């Protein structure tokens, strides 16, 4: 996640230096804790939180659990991970719904923190979960705030209650009260109240928010805070807690380039859990906040669980079984390939998904340089083909490829590369679907058993000896010395492949998956 980029890099570098030591001395632990303290302070984490965090880490690191560990450095990483989870709130907390509908959710926060956008995101997510949300426009001060919420509600496909035009006209407390009654009459089971904000904390803002809370008796009061405001996040959170009080926190703009101190400070200082994290501008860019998963991301340990959940939402199980059957029976076509690309796109940004894999923080530059439009180009080429060409790419002669290139705005070379990548990927996936071991370009079979013989070897064994016309080769093969197969090694002269894949090999592997 971009917000924690610098902090993650600093912590990862600190632990990398720690792993070179077989045994940790008190001086090593003090040095590590000192680097962690600097990294947290540079990330704008509140000083009070930093002191408590580093104190607990140092105390545990000097204890027996590290001294008796087989790998002390990994044990220290585990301790830091557990303490990060603790300051982020410990356990995940979900929205609490009322036993008797409607559930009233009030949003509070400063102007520009992202309340209105979050209202639309929350409404869309609640609809996915089978709820019927109603947005209530109570921000009647900010210019065009009502219009903005109306547009957001339309994009989210949610109903809105906005009897007043706003722009300084109307009583927000009355609108909030009437909105809840309207939801009860129309049988909406959830009400989301978008309240006004200010550029800074003031008495008028707090009085209005407190009046709305008393008038509507909300089941949840969510404090939306901009993750990029740094140290001031703590003061703002305390002011809202004292003036209005809130039951949960929403972190917005976690996809920004800020240092992320708000996320590591607000839950610990206020004692209120973080419930949601907003990770982008789209209405689907909203995640339930999991303290353990966030801690893993910060420490570059990955977030596989979230990645799996997103895949389950995007991919249809029946469709996946159908594709697997096609792969096994060699019926996988470019039409199926296009459908798979579209399902991958439903999961969101490829950069974001790659960032959830463990250790990908060390490849930040490569991930940032990844071109998201590559999938669009691939889709354009496939859509420029006729149904017959998609089902059987072997009919693509020169004139057809030229027509496809012109129709998609690409070059003939791009079309040739796509067809070649598809053929290689289809062969690889077919091998995997049958339980075999795929061959990578220039690397031979991946993970093949040492001693496994090829078809050529079986033929030679059955015939009782080599029939090569080359005397030297025949003698070597009869003695049990096999020469390298040029096709499998990638060498045009049969001299064998290097033990490690080259950069060209890795680039080719990347192309197989349409990411090159």
């Amino acid at each position: 996640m971009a917000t924690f980029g610098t902090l993650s890099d600093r912590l990862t570098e600190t632990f990398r230096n720690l792993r070179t030591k077989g045994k940790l001395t008190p001086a090593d632990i003090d040095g590590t804790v000192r680097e962690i303290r600097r990294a947290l302070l540079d990330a704008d984490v509140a000083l009070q939180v930093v002191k408590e965090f580093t104190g607990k880490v140092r105390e545990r690191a000097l204890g027996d659990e590290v001294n008796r560990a087989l790998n002390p450095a990994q044990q220290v990483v585990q301790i830091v991970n557990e303490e990060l989870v603790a300051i982020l709130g410990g356990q995940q907390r979900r929205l609490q719904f009322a036993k008797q509908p409607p559930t009233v959710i009030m949003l509070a926060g400063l102007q520009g923190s992202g309340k209105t956008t979050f209202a639309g995101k929350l409404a869309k997510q609640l609809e996915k979960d089978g709820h019927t949300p109603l947005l209530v426009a109570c921000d009647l001060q900010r210019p065009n705030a009502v219009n903005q919420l109306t547009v957001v509600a339309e994009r989210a496909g949610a109903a809105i209650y906005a009897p007043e035009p706003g722009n300084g006209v109307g009583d927000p407390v009355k609108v909030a009260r009437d909105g809840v009654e309207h939801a009860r009459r129309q049988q909406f089971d959830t009400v989301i109240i978008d309240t006004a904000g200010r550029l800074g904390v003031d008495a008028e803002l707090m009085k209005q928010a407190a009046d709305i809370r008393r008038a509507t008796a909300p089941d949840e009061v969510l404090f939306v805070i901009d993750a990029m405001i740094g140290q001031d996040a703590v003061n703002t959170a305390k002011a809202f807690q004292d003036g209005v009080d809130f039951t949960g926190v929403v972190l917005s703009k976690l996809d920004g380039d800020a240092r992320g101190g708000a996320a590591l400070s607000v839950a610990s200082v206020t004692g209120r859990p973080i419930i949601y994290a907003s990770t982008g501008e789209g209405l689907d860019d909203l995640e339930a906040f999991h303290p353990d998963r966030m801690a893993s991301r910060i420490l570059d340990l990955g977030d596989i669980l979230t990645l799996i959940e997103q895949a389950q939402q995007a991919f249809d199980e029946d469709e996946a079984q159908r594709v697997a059957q096609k792969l096994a029976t060699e019926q996988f076509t470019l039409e199926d390939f296009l459908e798979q690309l579209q399902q991958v796109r439903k999961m969101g940004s490829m950069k974001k998904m790659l960032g959830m894999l463990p250790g990908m923080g060390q490849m930040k530059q490569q991930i940032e340089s990844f071109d998201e439009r590559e999938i669009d180009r691939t889709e354009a080429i496939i859509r420029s083909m006729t149904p017959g060409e998609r089902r059987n790419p072997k009919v693509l002669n020169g004139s057809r490829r030229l027509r496809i290139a012109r129709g998609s705005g690409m070059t003939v070379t791009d079309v040739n590369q796509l067809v070649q990548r598809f053929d290689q990927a289809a062969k690889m996936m077919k091998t995997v679907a049958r339980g075999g071991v795929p061959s990578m370009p220039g690397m031979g079979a991946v993970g093949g058993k040492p001693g496994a013989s090829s078809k050529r070897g079986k033929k030679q064994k059955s015939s009782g000896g080599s029939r090569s016309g080359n005397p030297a080769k025949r003698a070597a093969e009869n003695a049990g010395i096999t020469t390298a197969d040029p096709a499998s090694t990638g060498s045009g002269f049969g001299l064998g492949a290097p033990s490690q894949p080259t950069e060209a090999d890795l680039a080719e592997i990347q192309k197989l998956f349409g990411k090159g």
Side-chain angles (χ1 to χ4, degrees), residues 274-349:
I274 302 173
I275 299 180
Y276 287 107
S278 180
T279 57
E281 296 180 0
L283 291 180
D284 291 317
D285 297 328
L286 183 67
E287 296 179 4
F289 189 84
H290 298 263
D292 53 341
R293 300 183 191 182
M294 185 60 66
S296 293
R297 290 195 205 182
I298 294 172
L299 296 178
D300 196 22
L301 301 177
D303 187 1
I304 298 299
L305 289 176
T306 298
L307 192 59
I308 291 172
E309 288 176 359
Q310 291 181 357
Q312 288 175 336
Q313 292 175 3
F315 284 83
D316 181 76
E317 188 174 348
D318 294 336
E319 175 69 16
Q321 290 179 352
R322 185 183 66 83
V323 170
Q325 187 174 2
K326 281 195 167 190
L327 286 170
T329 56
E330 301 185 35
Q331 296 178 353
F332 189 73
T333 67
L334 279 167
E335 287 182 337
D336 301 314
F337 185 56
L338 178 61
E339 290 178 7
Q340 294 302 299
L341 283 179
Q342 291 171 336
Q343 292 204 15
V344 168
R345 173 175 288 176
K346 290 179 185 177
M347 291 179 63
S349 166

Side-chain angles (χ1 to χ4, degrees), residues 19-261:
R19 290 190 181 101
T20 61
K21 303 177 184 296
K23 185 177 181 180
L24 301 183
T25 65
D28 293 330
I29 291 175
D30 286 340
T32 301
V33 171
R34 191 181 309 116
E35 289 300 319
I36 293 173
R37 182 186 298 114
R38 289 174 179 170
L40 293 173
L41 290 174
D42 286 345
D44 267 345
V45 180
L47 181 60
Q48 172 190 345
V49 177
V50 173
K51 285 182 177 180
E52 293 178 1
F53 178 79
T54 52
K56 290 179 180 178
V57 170
R58 186 177 186 279
E59 181 182 353
R60 292 183 60 183
L62 289 172
D64 289 341
E65 60 181 310
V66 171
N67 293 333
R68 295 177 180 176
L70 293 176
N71 193 323
Q74 288 186 2
Q75 192 65 34
V76 171
V77 175
Q78 178 66 22
I79 290 172
V80 173
N81 182 61
E82 291 173 359
E83 294 300 329
L84 269 178
V85 173
I87 67 172
L88 286 170
Q91 298 293 324
Q92 183 204 12
R93 165 68 151 90
R94 299 178 180 272
L95 281 179
Q96 302 293 327
F97 291 93
K99 294 181 180 179
Q100 185 69 32
T103 298
V104 180
I105 302 172
M106 173 182 166
L107 308 184
L110 293 179
Q111 183 174 313
S113 62
K115 291 192 304 299
T116 302
T117 305
F118 169 70
K121 292 180 178 182
L122 181 59
K124 188 169 185 180
Q125 187 170 100
L126 289 173
E127 283 195 332
K128 285 182 180 179
D129 295 337
H131 295 281
T132 53
L134 172 70
L135 294 172
V136 179
C138 292
D139 184 356
L140 306 180
Q141 280 73 40
R142 182 167 59 90
N144 289 320
V146 175
N147 291 337
Q148 182 189 357
L149 186 64
T150 302
V151 172
V152 169
E154 184 177 347
R155 286 175 54 203
I160 183 172
Y161 180 76
E164 298 290 353
N167 299 320
V169 178
D171 179 5
V173 178
K174 183 178 185 301
V175 170
R177 187 187 299 111
D178 293 346
V180 174
E181 288 301 322
H182 176 77
R184 189 172 284 113
R185 288 194 303 270
Q186 299 297 322
Q187 296 185 340
F188 289 97
D189 70 354
T190 312
V191 179
I192 303 172
I193 301 175
D194 182 28
T195 64
R198 296 286 192 280
L199 295 176
V201 177
D202 60 23
E204 183 181 355
L205 166 65
M206 290 303 173
K207 182 179 183 304
Q208 184 183 108
D211 289 344
I212 292 176
R213 175 163 190 165
R214 281 192 295 271
T216 59
D219 301 281
E220 293 275 18
V221 179
L222 301 184
F223 173 53
V224 183
I225 188 168
D226 186 341
M228 300 195 294
I229 66 175
Q231 286 279 355
D232 198 41
V234 175
N235 298 330
T236 305
K238 283 183 176 179
F240 270 90
Q241 188 174 24
D242 295 339
V244 185
D245 199 9
F246 48 84
T247 59
V249 178
V250 176
L251 289 174
S252 66
K253 306 179 186 178
L254 270 184
D255 56 322
D257 295 327
R259 291 172 284 187

Side-chain angles (χ1 to χ4, degrees), residues 262-455:
L264 297 178
S265 303
V266 66
S268 180
V269 170
T270 63
R272 297 292 187 269
I274 302 173
I275 299 180
Y276 287 107
S278 180
T279 57
E281 296 180 0
L283 291 180
D284 291 317
D285 297 328
L286 183 67
E287 296 179 4
F289 189 84
H290 298 263
D292 53 341
R293 300 183 191 182
M294 185 60 66
S296 293
R297 290 195 205 182
I298 294 172
L299 296 178
D300 196 22
L301 301 177
D303 187 1
I304 298 299
L305 289 176
T306 298
L307 192 59
I308 291 172
E309 288 176 359
Q310 291 181 357
Q312 288 175 336
Q313 292 175 3
F315 284 83
D316 181 76
E317 188 174 348
D318 294 336
E319 175 69 16
Q321 290 179 352
R322 185 183 66 83
V323 170
Q325 187 174 2
K326 281 195 167 190
L327 286 170
T329 56
E330 301 185 35
Q331 296 178 353
F332 189 73
T333 67
L334 279 167
E335 287 182 337
D336 301 314
F337 185 56
L338 178 61
E339 290 178 7
Q340 294 302 299
L341 283 179
Q342 291 171 336
Q343 292 204 15
V344 168
R345 173 175 288 176
K346 290 179 185 177
M347 291 179 63
S349 166
M350 284 294 295
K351 292 181 182 179
K352 197 178 296 183
M353 287 189 286
L354 289 172
M356 292 182 187
L357 298 176
M360 295 304 284
Q362 303 171 30
M363 302 179 65
K364 192 175 299 182
Q365 187 174 355
Q366 292 92 320
I367 293 176
E368 286 301 319
S369 62
F370 177 82
D371 190 355
E372 298 272 2
R373 293 172 298 177
E374 185 64 30
I375 297 179
D376 295 331
R377 300 186 187 105
T378 301
E379 185 174 341
I381 293 174
I382 298 176
R383 288 191 180 280
S384 297
M385 298 178 183
T386 65
E389 291 168 343
R390 294 177 197 168
R391 288 191 288 269
N392 183 18
K394 292 180 180 179
V395 303
L396 293 175
N397 55 24
S399 61
R400 288 174 183 259
R401 296 187 185 213
L402 179 59
R403 188 204 78 237
I404 294 167
R406 288 175 175 172
S408 60
M410 306 297 287
T411 65
V412 175
T413 303
D414 294 325
V415 177
N416 293 338
Q417 289 177 347
L418 171 62
V419 174
Q420 183 181 10
R421 290 200 304 266
F422 170 74
D423 288 340
Q424 293 172 331
K427 289 177 183 177
M428 180 183 296
M429 290 187 288
K430 180 182 68 177
T431 303
V432 173
R434 291 179 170 180
V437 180
S439 295
M440 293 293 188
M443 296 173 63
V446 179
K449 295 180 180 179
S453 59
S454 64
K455 293 181 180 178

